[in-house]
Amino acid sequence: TTIAYELEKKLIQSGHLAYVLDGDNLRNSLNSDLSFSPEDRSKNIERVANVAKIIADTGAIAIVSLVSPYIKDRSAAKDIADDTPFFEIYLSTSLETCEARDAKGLYKKARDGEIPDFTGITAPYEAPPSPNCILDTSSVDVKEAVNKVFLMLEPLFIKE
């Protein structure tokens, strides 16, 4: 989420329209009826992918910041994107690092049994076989991560 919002700022400062679709915010609004079950996670990804497609169709860049643990759901999101550029960014960060940064206490709640089907604790994560970009935020800081993603997107901004 931190990287997504910093990328959004950098894109806007560079003259591009951009908008972050953040999983936490969407779970309090559009997806407030969904749990963390595998079926509801699929619905969450599908809904967010459709919203991202609508945003992209306006000419803006949709930055989606979600935990998407299943390969099949990420593949479905890419199918929804259709001919819209779609980049999969894999934050390959250790569970220990995620727990250390857990400002909302979600990992603790999951370990205490308060949140079922929590990725990395009581539910699996399927690493992407071929993401467009891999970021290990235990060794790459936010600014470096944002720059890496921005440089990956830069060819999209060149008008022929």
Side-chain angles (χ1 to χ4, degrees), residues 96-108:
E96 294 76 26
T97 300
C98 292
E99 288 186 275
R101 294 179 180 161
D102 183 21
K104 296 176 183 167
L106 297 177
Y107 285 91
K108 180 176 179 351

Side-chain angles (χ1 to χ4, degrees), residues 2 8 31 35 56 62-63 76 79 85 87 89 91 105 110 116 120 125 135 145 153-154 157:
T2 302
E8 178 189 53
N31 294 326
S35 71
I63 304 164
D79 289 345
F87 296 91
I89 314 297
L91 270 66
Y125 181 84
L135 301 172
L153 297 175
E154 212 166 29
F157 310 142

